[in-house]
Amino acid sequence: MGGFGDVHRAQPKVVSVSNVTELGTVYTPDELAEVCAHAHGLGLTVHLDGSRLTNAAAALDVPLRALSTDAGVDVLSFGGTKIGLLYGEAVVVLDPDAATGVDYLRKTYMQLSSKMRFVSVQFEALLSGDLWLRNARHANAMARRLAAAVEGVPGVRLSRAVEANAVFAVLPADVADRLRKRFRFYTWDESTGEVRWMCAFDTTEEDVDAFAAALAEEAAASPS
């Protein structure tokens, strides 16, 4: 807000936060409510990137509304593909005044599917029961399993707490390069060798164990 009121600067209008964050951390309901209250006090709208919101809710054992409606979020982008949908993300307008004209923007930005009911029915299947929660809990559990499996591998260091379905670790570049020939993953920070491993709704225990075993093999083959 340092440039607020300055005609030479773009004026801030929206605060956008992600939960789960890109670092694998989770905002609690109280933390989100504090962000929303402060933003609203400054006249700003709050958008929540909920690509992995189900994972955050499962990790905290709270309903989805605790991390959205009840916290004071104005607009939510709710992820579908990361929790099991074949296709589809939903924009949920919680405060209509905060998203005037969004109905028309859908088509302007080519997000109005010709057979929207085929996309929407997936959300009905996901949210009408506890499928979203079961999928999210499973993904989070696989991340914890992975973290436990790789924690003792020589040369590998877990670099962040595992709060949801992401595991961050630092490992030698040569180990990462060889392992990447067997499994696809990104280097998060080239300067430190930190990588990010994501677990999903369809990650199996066998997937995790095979990855951890391959990591141990590549680490053992690395020059001491």
Side-chain angles (χ1 to χ4, degrees):
M1 296 299 290
F4 193 71
D6 185 343
V7 297
H8 300 288
R9 293 174 180 260
Q11 296 301 287
K13 181 62 179 176
V14 178
V15 171
S16 183
V17 295
S18 178
N19 201 20
V20 176
T21 74
E22 288 296 290
L23 296 178
T25 53
V26 174
Y27 283 98
T28 66
D30 287 344
E31 289 170 336
L32 277 178
E34 187 175 353
V35 170
C36 291
H38 185 64
H40 292 156
L42 295 170
L44 305 178
T45 297
V46 179
H47 163 258
L48 178 64
D49 177 349
S51 298
R52 301 182 180 92
L53 186 63
T54 53
N55 298 97
L60 296 169
D61 196 24
V62 297
L64 292 171
R65 67 173 298 129
L67 297 174
S68 53
T69 307
D70 293 348
V73 171
D74 298 304
V75 179
L76 162 69
S77 52
F78 183 78
T81 55
K82 285 184 169 63
I83 198 60
L85 269 61
L86 176 66
Y87 171 77
E89 315 294 327
V91 176
V92 185
V93 178
L94 302 171
D95 178 7
D97 293 334
T100 303
V102 68
D103 291 347
Y104 305 98
L105 288 174
R106 286 187 304 169
K107 192 158 190 174
T108 302
Y109 293 124
M110 296 186 293
Q111 296 299 313
L112 184 61
S113 299
S114 60
K115 298 294 184 289
M116 187 67 81
R117 61 186 179 275
F118 295 143
V119 180
S120 302
V121 72
Q122 297 177 88
F123 283 99
E124 183 177 355
L126 183 70
L127 298 172
S128 61
D130 67 346
L131 179 58
W132 69 270
L133 182 58
R134 288 187 283 117
N135 283 358
R137 283 175 172 168
H138 175 78
N140 293 356
M142 292 302 98
R144 293 192 300 270
R145 184 184 184 92
L146 177 59
V150 305
E151 192 169 18
V153 175
V156 177
R157 175 177 61 84
L158 295 180
S159 51
R160 304 180 193 274
V162 178
E163 296 186 11
N165 65 322
V167 177
F168 286 80
V170 174
L171 60 157
D174 63 314
V175 175
D177 289 340
R178 290 197 302 274
L179 185 60
R180 236 188 305 269
K181 295 178 181 179
R182 304 167 67 175
F183 296 90
R184 184 170 177 262
F185 60 90
Y186 295 102
T187 295
W188 183 260
D189 188 337
E190 295 285 353
S191 65
T192 63
E194 185 179 41
V195 300
R196 184 176 76 163
W197 300 319
M198 301 298 299
C199 292
F201 67 94
D202 58 349
T203 301
T204 66
E205 293 183 355
E206 291 76 16
D207 292 334
V208 171
D209 295 346
F211 182 85
L215 173 61
E217 290 174 10
E218 298 302 346
S222 184
S224 57

